[in-house]
Amino acid sequence: MNIVVLVKYIPNPEGTPEMGPDHRLKREGVEGALDPGDEHSVEAALQLAGSDGEVTLVTMGPEAAVGALRRGLSMGGHKGVHVLDDSLKGADVLVTARVLAAVVKRQAGFDLVLAGVESTDGYTGTLPMAVAELLDLPNVTFARKVEVADGTLKVERQTEAGYDEVECPLPAVVTVTAGANEPRYPTLKGIMQAKQKPMDTLSVSDLGLSAEDVKATQEVMGLEPVAAKEAGEVIEDPEEAPGRVVEFLTKAKVI
Amino acid sequence: MDFDLTEEQQEFRKAVREFSEEVIAPRAEQMDRDEELPLDIVKQMGQMGLFGLPFPEEYGGQGADFLTFCIAVEELARIDSSMAITLEAGVGLGANPIYADGTEEQKRRWLAPMCRGEILGAFGLTEPGGGSDAGSTKTTARLDGGEWVINGSKAFITNSGTDITGLVTITAVTGEGDGGHKEISAIIVPTGTAGFDVGKSYRKVGWHGSDTHELSFNDCRVPEANLLGEKGKGFAQFLRTLDDGRVAVAALGTGLAQGCLEESLKYAGQRHAFNRPIGAFQAIQFKIADMRVAVETARLATYQAAWLKDQGRPYKAQAALAKLYASEIAVTCAREAVQIHGGYGFMEEFPVARHYRDSKVLEIGEGTSEIMRWIIARDLGLPESNA
């Protein structure tokens, strides 16, 4: 099985990221890491690929984004593709999807594209579907288990109530949840070998895309912090409580 | 002169740190309370290649230098000493003697599964009646019909009684050498051999999550081919093992002290007294500043000793120096960290309480502080005080 994994390098996944003057996340000159969510899709890919398959990691981002690829390669991925182009700064979901879809198209004989459910920094959760649409491939989201049997993809799709069993033909685009597996930690040998693995750096024009293709259609106009939740009210007197709760719910127009 | 670690070493340190924080930290208090080595964590450490770090790839190892191994021990100890000593003993005392002195067949049989963390090895040197004075070994092994017949007991043996312990290498008197000296040899005893009994777990002051037992041998028979290294060279072989172990224990002390420094810094920012964080008081600031000086100095001494070994140069005195200093500052940093935490430092919910209990043994194991000073004094050319 040849699998392409879409990965993202995100700034400071543990702490509070910094915003730049353009109302966008500061991505350069800050500590970063492979998105923890993507570790699960890399792990799923490594398990599915088996000993004769190949796992290709694809990312788009500034210079530092190569760190995401290196982490995936040190976990056991086989090669990396980094789309690095100044014109992609501030790219929105559609532009990013066009770029990643163009990279995937170049991977001859791929069977499956895996991605995280959503990024830990941007949280739109829409990119994998856009890539699937652009590639005209079926898309299964929220996979908590991915299997391939007789050339058919079998997915347990996490739902609020339980899970759906979904089957679909390959190739397909699948998003993998954090519940799907325990991502491995890289070994020293893996870290050493990652340095020797093939890594392609591509520009927008290398992908045959035009300036128009990568022009963001969204613009961030401003940024407001989310209003802090007000502290709740604790009613301790059991005599008084039912009346007050009814009063509260009536006021909130719930009852 | 270059004080930078290689890019690979830095990346590897980060990976071990993530593992320690994500996998070990959430369970450190529980394993301390249960006094049980979590074998599932050992398994994961094996999958990460930690137990095979300083051994060649042909035996399933990672081909790392000794410094990189010390970095792994340091990072584990920053979070939990029990897991750090499990790794240190597994590699330094379990696997290393087999790698250094084993025949090709012994390495194939024992080293490969130890590198993968599938089995743990232990080293039985200390006896109830003697530690650093290894010449006082009372355990005996005599040849009988192509087998060693072992009798005696061993004390405080790390990793010796887990469900995945595969072997214990013991030192035993195998005869009398020139001038009436005891001839000591090392012999591999596989777990499960008849006559080899693992005693109850010790009730220890610290290192609760690590596995330590007394072992007894009653007419325990193993094949003659289980001799490790040369007959009569067991003493010289184990001295070399201890030099390596001391550098690794220095790394353990450095890591523990680093953990104390970070916990203290965090607490000093959170805890308020007299309307300000306690970190605003000079009494606290100076304690934390001293901790940093101690930690960084210990780290330099440890890395230098490891580097000397990696360069193939003599490192016995540097190993003793690093072990002495790092273990003593570990005890000091842990005590001061508890002091900074006040009453909460005496509560087991805070990692510094565990660090405090875990630190003391560092001044004792793999050669006491007194033995370290003795080695350093000998290295300076000072005469034997009571020869």
Side-chain angles (χ1 to χ4, degrees):
Chain A
M1 275 263 288
N2 294 327
I3 303 170
V4 179
V5 190
L6 309 178
V7 297
K8 188 174 188 183
Y9 186 80
I10 63 161
N12 191 12
E14 303 286 314
T16 309
E18 242 183 285
M19 305 304 289
D22 57 352
H23 308 309
R24 293 180 180 280
L25 272 179
K26 263 184 85 169
R27 295 188 182 278
E28 280 162 282
V30 290
E31 275 278 302
L34 170 66
D35 192 319
D38 292 342
E39 288 181 17
H40 297 277
S41 16
V42 174
E43 179 62 41
L46 292 172
Q47 289 179 16
L48 280 167
S51 51
D52 53 350
E54 199 173 63
V55 174
T56 305
L57 305 155
V58 177
T59 198
M60 178 189 110
E63 207 81 59
V66 80
L69 297 178
R70 197 166 295 148
R71 173 68 179 232
L73 294 176
S74 63
M75 286 171 74
H78 299 84
K79 54 183 184 161
V81 182
H82 182 192
V83 183
L84 175 68
D85 197 310
D86 277 345
S87 68
L88 292 170
K89 212 177 161 194
D92 56 19
V93 170
L94 183 57
V95 167
T96 309
R98 279 185 190 132
V99 168
L100 295 178
V103 178
V104 174
K105 254 186 228 167
R106 290 164 53 101
Q107 310 304 314
F110 72 91
D111 301 297
L112 182 63
V113 179
L114 296 181
V117 168
E118 59 190 0
S119 61
T120 305
D121 56 354
Y123 279 113
T124 63
T126 51
L127 178 98
M129 303 76 179
V131 171
E133 185 62 28
L134 290 169
L135 292 170
D136 201 19
L137 292 179
N139 177 215
V140 185
T141 51
F142 300 107
R144 60 167 219 175
K145 190 171 173 193
V146 189
E147 277 177 334
V148 174
D150 307 325
T152 302
L153 182 73
K154 291 183 179 181
V155 172
E156 286 183 12
R157 183 181 183 276
Q158 185 73 51
T159 66
E160 271 180 36
Y163 64 92
D164 299 330
E165 286 177 350
V166 182
E167 283 189 22
C168 97
L170 291 171
V173 178
V174 177
T175 68
V176 178
T177 68
N181 52 46
E182 282 290 332
R184 69 195 68 186
Y185 291 87
T187 62
L188 180 71
K189 217 154 78 181
I191 290 169
M192 308 288 272
Q193 285 167 349
K195 298 278 153 75
Q196 318 298 330
K197 289 176 178 172
M199 180 95 80
D200 263 349
T201 307
L202 302 174
S203 67
V204 165
S205 60
D206 289 337
L207 292 169
L209 296 173
S210 67
E212 196 56 34
D213 291 328
V214 296
K215 196 164 164 253
T217 51
Q218 295 174 358
E219 194 186 337
V220 183
M221 311 294 290
L223 207 61
E224 293 289 332
V226 178
K229 241 185 175 172
E230 281 176 40
E233 188 185 347
V234 180
I235 308 156
E236 296 198 6
D237 181 358
E239 298 290 316
E240 182 196 2
R244 292 283 303 280
V245 170
V246 170
E247 196 182 308
F248 173 82
L249 293 174
T250 313
K251 217 167 126 192
K253 301 201 166 85
V254 176
I255 52 175
Chain B
M1 203 168 184
D2 186 358
F3 283 100
D4 277 329
L5 298 175
T6 65
E7 217 174 293
E8 287 88 352
Q9 284 168 330
Q10 292 178 41
E11 245 174 84
F12 178 66
R13 176 195 285 283
K14 223 168 131 184
V16 180
R17 179 167 290 205
E18 280 174 32
F19 174 77
S20 305
E21 290 177 349
E22 293 165 3
V23 177
I24 300 176
R27 290 173 56 191
E29 192 199 334
Q30 185 70 39
M31 69 171 96
D32 181 74
R33 200 182 323 157
D34 294 350
E35 305 205 6
E36 200 170 317
L37 174 68
L39 290 177
D40 60 319
I41 296 184
V42 171
K43 189 175 166 196
Q44 265 186 286
M45 285 162 63
Q47 286 163 348
M48 252 189 109
L50 299 188
F51 285 96
L53 272 175
F55 305 113
E57 292 184 33
E58 53 177 313
Y59 300 113
Q62 297 279 315
D65 56 17
F66 194 68
L67 175 56
T68 305
F69 170 63
C70 287
I71 291 169
V73 172
E74 180 190 345
E75 283 302 325
L76 294 178
R78 175 177 161 267
I79 298 297
D80 182 67
S81 290
S82 291
M83 295 320 291
I85 190 58
T86 300
L87 174 66
E88 196 281 315
V91 169
L93 300 172
N96 198 41
I98 309 277
Y99 171 62
D101 302 305
T103 61
E104 191 57 30
E105 202 190 321
Q106 286 169 339
K107 288 187 214 179
R108 296 267 166 229
R109 177 167 175 203
W110 300 112
L111 189 56
M114 279 196 275
C115 281
R116 292 191 295 266
E118 289 164 6
I119 63 167
L120 284 171
F123 193 73
L125 164 75
T126 302
E127 300 189 352
S132 291
D133 176 17
S136 72
T137 304
K138 287 200 172 58
T139 299
T140 59
R142 65 180 167 83
L143 272 176
D144 176 59
E147 289 179 324
W148 292 105
V149 183
I150 304 165
N151 281 287
S153 52
K154 297 287 174 183
F156 314 132
I157 309 304
T158 307
N159 289 345
S160 63
T162 73
D163 287 348
I164 60 165
T165 299
L167 70 132
V168 180
T169 303
I170 57 141
T171 50
V173 179
T174 49
E176 205 171 281
D178 299 336
H181 275 68
K182 281 178 183 169
E183 180 199 87
I184 293 174
S185 307
I187 298 169
I188 302 170
V189 184
T191 308
T193 306
F196 167 27
D197 292 309
V198 178
K200 264 203 320 196
S201 234
Y202 288 100
R203 287 186 60 226
K204 302 187 293 268
V205 168
W207 284 3
H208 285 172
S210 94
D211 177 88
T212 322
H213 297 268
E214 182 167 331
L215 310 177
S216 61
F217 302 88
N218 298 301
D219 287 330
C220 169
R221 299 177 85 95
V222 298
E224 187 176 355
N226 281 23
L227 177 74
L228 181 65
E230 260 182 84
K231 185 165 175 281
K233 289 283 164 65
F235 203 78
Q237 286 167 204
F238 99 77
L239 283 180
R240 205 179 47 221
T241 297
L242 283 188
D243 283 340
D244 290 0
R246 281 168 191 159
V247 186
V249 168
L252 218 156
T254 304
L256 183 146
Q258 173 74 36
C260 290
L261 168 64
E262 289 176 36
E263 291 296 330
S264 299
L265 194 58
K266 192 167 78 186
Y267 190 77
Q270 289 168 351
R271 173 74 175 180
H272 282 67
F274 307 104
N275 299 320
R276 71 196 77 171
I278 60 169
F281 296 107
Q282 209 172 46
I284 302 293
Q285 289 178 357
F286 281 11
K287 280 187 200 295
I288 297 178
D290 285 346
M291 276 188 196
R292 179 170 173 187
V293 174
V295 170
E296 294 200 8
T297 310
R299 183 173 293 122
L300 286 174
T302 304
Y303 289 7
Q304 189 209 17
W307 178 83
L308 282 170
K309 177 180 156 61
D310 286 332
Q311 300 298 312
R313 284 158 55 177
Y315 64 101
K316 189 181 184 63
Q318 257 71 25
L321 181 157
K323 196 269 180 185
L324 172 65
Y325 185 73
S327 60
E328 294 197 340
I329 67 105
V331 173
T332 309
C333 288
R335 190 183 62 239
E336 292 294 35
V338 168
Q339 192 67 20
I340 289 167
H341 280 68
Y344 286 109
F346 203 58
M347 299 298 125
E348 292 291 357
E349 284 81 359
F350 284 77
V352 293
R354 179 164 40 84
H355 290 326
Y356 184 53
R357 287 185 287 100
D358 286 344
S359 65
K360 181 57 202 174
V361 68
L362 299 173
E363 294 180 325
I364 299 168
E366 310 244 359
T368 61
S369 290
E370 291 71 24
I371 292 286
M372 295 305 107
R373 289 190 165 85
W374 183 90
I375 292 170
I376 294 163
R378 289 295 84 72
D379 188 64
L380 287 165
L382 291 165
E384 297 260 5
S385 50
N386 47 3

